[in-house]
Amino acid sequence: MKITLVIATITSLLSTASFANSLFSLENLERERAALLNAQLDSSLDLAQRQQKVQNIYRRLVDIERMVLRDDRVTSSNSALAQNAFNKYELTFLVHSSAEKSQPPMSHWLSEVHLTTKSILSAKAGHR
């Protein structure tokens, strides 16, 4: 009886650790996508610096998106993070979906979040 309890406890601990690790690639994808958008919007960078930084992030993001799409642990996960990521494919897999639509990633992102030049220019700066 005690051996069964010990085995069950060890098994549950190991399965919890592997589940926590199973979404690591998806979390990395989200961090890298945020870095890409941050680099695109960083006003402290000049054009050459921005292009270099975006190009480096873009290459990593392509690889990470492929890894996540091929990771069976992520695609079969029932977690809210994974479900939300695949429900919002156009935003989660920004590089792939922008390539499918033949748009730069930033233009694609802006269109997916429904930001237009007109809405940006009509916005007022202020505190909420």
Side-chain angles (χ1 to χ4, degrees), residues 10-93:
I10 291 172
T11 305
S12 68
L13 290 174
L14 291 175
S15 66
T16 304
S18 69
F19 176 74
N21 237 357
S22 69
L23 299 178
F24 185 70
S25 59
L26 185 57
E27 292 167 357
N28 280 342
L29 171 65
E30 292 192 359
R31 276 191 290 276
E32 204 65 31
R33 186 185 64 236
L36 176 71
L37 296 173
N38 188 44
Q40 288 279 349
L41 299 171
D42 190 354
S43 62
S44 67
L45 299 174
D46 66 19
L47 183 60
Q49 290 173 322
R50 179 176 291 118
Q51 285 177 335
Q52 181 64 38
K53 191 170 186 177
V54 165
Q55 187 177 27
N56 290 338
I57 295 170
Y58 186 85
R59 277 191 231 125
R60 285 193 308 265
L61 197 52
V62 168
D63 291 338
I64 295 171
E65 284 184 7
R66 285 182 186 150
M67 286 174 16
V68 170
L69 287 168
R70 293 177 181 158
D71 190 348
D72 292 334
R73 294 173 301 174
V74 175
T75 55
S76 63
S77 175
N78 289 329
S79 75
L81 180 64
Q83 295 297 320
N84 191 36
F86 286 103
N87 287 340
K88 297 182 179 180
Y89 175 89
E90 298 291 324
L91 293 172
T92 303
F93 302 98

Side-chain angles (χ1 to χ4, degrees), residues 118-125:
K118 183 179 178 182
S119 66
I120 292 171
L121 292 176
S122 67
K124 295 180 183 176

